[in-house]
Amino acid sequence: MIQNEDPVIANSLWSATANPTPDCPELRATVEVDVAIIGAGFTGLSAALYLAKLGQRVVVLEAYTPGWGASGRNGGQVNPGLIENPEHAIAKFGPQMGQRMIKMSGDAAKLVFDLIAQHEIQCDARPVGWLRAAHNPAGLRNLEQKARQWEAHGAIMQRLNATEIAQLMGSEAYIGGFLDPRGGNIHPLNYALGLADAALAAGAQIYGQSEVQTVTQDGDVHLLTTARGSLCARKVLVCTNGYTGDLIPGLRQTVVPIRSVQVATAPLSDNLRATILPGLHAPTDTRRLLSYFRTDAAGRFIMGARGAYTPGATRARLAHARAASAQLFPQLADVKWEYEWGGYIAATADHYPHLHDLGNGIVAGLGYNGRGVALATAMGKVLADWASGMPSRDLVFPVSALRKMPFHSLHRLGVEATVARYKLMDNMGL
Ligand SMILES: Cc1cc2nc3c(=O)[nH]c(=O)nc-3n(C[C@H](O)[C@H](O)[C@H](O)COP(=O)(O)OP(=O)(O)OC[C@H]3O[C@@H](n4cnc5c(N)ncnc54)[C@H](O)[C@@H]3O)c2cc1C
């Protein structure tokens, strides 16, 4: 169970199968460091690891435990790239920065698997590629365009016809697609815990149960306070993504928190297991309300879905995810479902992650739009570069001004309306 969480989304498979959590005591003193990091998800832990390796004195303050947020709850898909295609990034950010972002995001999955190998993180890493499946001809055209654009930037994509994708899926629901060999999948919470172990081993300190309550400036240092301690730091990295509160004025309003949920079966019999995703892939499809699914190391089937904000509506979405699984794989109709859980992703208006310089030595990296396993790890490295003195113009991701979303207070209505519209369009085959 995820501690300190709403019961409707707390019964997590990843928590039930987690490696031991490193000892991260509550902050109960006044500590002075070079860099303070708020939030121990992939972003904060990756930044802490890189900074500690560079010899910086770095402390991570986490409200609960490492990986408590989305990082410990997600689908574990290690997906390279940005949501938007490479040409879009170049048109929006210019050839030089666009190219850097394409490289940074394209290499992000490799970065994850390299970190796992380098630090011997036990997280069931499967670098088997990312399977992208088209549910209709428009979806296939969309994937073809994506594949061509990535190929123009050196990626190698393996096209799959209907027969080939059916073999890899164990389902005939898709008409084609491609395999992006850069991706794969992992046990996300164990990856987060492994990053925490690696950061601690490199010399970082991580305090759990230490929610940052205030950040104030005193000369050229920042004072961060928690319930029982405080931290003085010259630089502060805010890594709170979908759990961003009002600590830094205006930051919460730059992203929309969206609940995402997952359901998992009991371990499937060997016979059943052999019929579903035999190559251990974690596919995503081209529906607007994207389906993503996979198995875990024990052969449980896991299906992801868009969540809702109220317990009743969330339960309905969890039930829908189970029904959708049996539609896709009829052999799952009578299996036992054991887990259901979820968490918050952070969506941005332009679908790109944001790196905000909040002035006076505070930077925030957030807004992965549900694509943060690889990207947040890569963003942590960018934040570490910034905190160790790299000028903004040399970073591989653009620094942008903080811009509040208009009508942010109405975001729940907006998200639900978009979900309803997408569902309708998917049902109509558009
Ligand atoms: C159900 C689900 C499925 C997903 N599936 C995928 C997937 O398959 N592939 C993929 O690439 N992405 C996926 N994502 C998205 C991915 O998990 C996130 O983009 C990524 O984990 C973000 O990492 P992060 O470190 O920025 O934030 P988080 O992991 O959310 O961490 C933020 C942390 O900040 C802490 N915090 C907040 N405020 C404070 C404070 N004041 N003081 C101290 N600590 C604070 C929180 O407790 C939290 O632990 C999914 C997300 C969800 C919820």
Side-chain angles (χ1 to χ4, degrees), residues 94-397:
Q96 192 189 36
M97 183 51 81
Q99 189 60 50
R100 284 190 204 169
M101 294 163 78
I102 291 163
K103 177 148 178 48
M104 174 263 211
S105 64
D107 289 348
K110 180 176 180 319
L111 180 76
V112 170
F113 289 117
D114 284 352
L115 281 173
I116 291 169
Q118 192 184 345
H119 297 282
E120 298 178 356
I121 297 175
Q122 302 303 309
C123 62
D124 305 324
R126 297 164 164 177
V128 292
W130 176 19
L131 194 52
R132 309 197 67 173
H135 74 294
N136 66 11
L140 194 57
R141 281 194 297 278
N142 191 306
L143 287 183
E144 179 55 34
Q145 198 185 30
K146 217 172 254 307
R148 257 191 277 118
Q149 291 195 24
W150 274 106
E151 281 165 343
H153 290 274
I156 295 163
M157 300 294 174
Q158 187 187 340
R159 307 287 195 288
L160 301 166
N161 63 27
T163 313
E164 290 162 337
I165 205 155
Q167 273 165 2
L168 290 179
M169 285 278 190
S171 163
E172 294 186 353
Y174 297 100
I175 63 168
F178 69 81
L179 184 68
D180 180 341
R182 300 171 296 178
N185 58 85
I186 54 169
H187 183 307
L189 178 54
N190 283 341
Y191 171 53
L193 296 174
L195 278 183
D197 282 331
L200 288 167
Q205 290 170 275
I206 305 174
Y207 292 96
Q209 310 304 332
S210 302
E211 180 181 2
V212 179
Q213 296 176 340
T214 59
V215 180
T216 48
Q217 199 173 350
D218 183 7
D220 60 354
V221 296
H222 297 280
L223 184 68
L224 286 70
T225 60
T226 64
R228 292 198 179 78
S230 56
L231 193 64
C232 274
R234 279 184 197 285
K235 291 190 173 157
V236 179
L237 307 181
V238 187
C239 307
T240 50
N241 204 46
Y243 294 86
T244 300
D246 289 318
L247 200 56
I248 307 292
L251 187 61
R252 183 173 65 81
Q253 290 83 359
T254 64
V255 290
V256 167
I258 299 178
R259 216 183 230 186
S260 212
V261 294
Q262 294 189 91
V263 290
T265 66
L268 304 177
S269 68
D270 288 348
N271 286 347
L272 212 53
R273 216 168 147 168
T275 64
I276 298 173
L277 300 170
L280 307 179
H281 297 104
T284 50
D285 74 16
T286 46
R287 289 190 172 79
R288 282 183 177 76
L289 283 183
L290 156 137
S291 284
Y292 60 99
F293 41 92
R294 56 171 293 184
T295 54
D296 77 344
R300 298 175 183 89
F301 178 79
I302 305 163
M303 172 63 89
R306 181 55 52 83
Y309 293 107
T310 63
T314 297
R315 274 189 209 100
R317 300 270 167 86
L318 291 162
H320 177 78
R322 285 186 283 267
S325 306
Q327 242 173 9
L328 196 55
F329 298 105
Q331 58 271 49
L332 293 176
D334 297 321
V335 297
K336 189 168 169 228
W337 293 89
E338 287 191 335
Y339 299 97
E340 47 185 29
W341 74 98
Y344 282 103
I345 65 162
T348 57
D350 62 2
H351 305 152
Y352 285 91
H354 291 171
L355 173 55
H356 295 303
D357 190 341
L358 303 162
N360 303 317
I362 307 185
V363 154
L366 76 175
Y368 307 103
N369 296 281
R371 184 78 74 78
V373 175
L375 268 182
T377 305
M379 181 66 92
K381 189 166 185 291
V382 179
L383 293 176
D385 284 341
W386 175 86
S388 46
M390 187 180 281
S392 297
R393 64 174 180 278
D394 293 338
L395 297 174
V396 295
F397 208 84

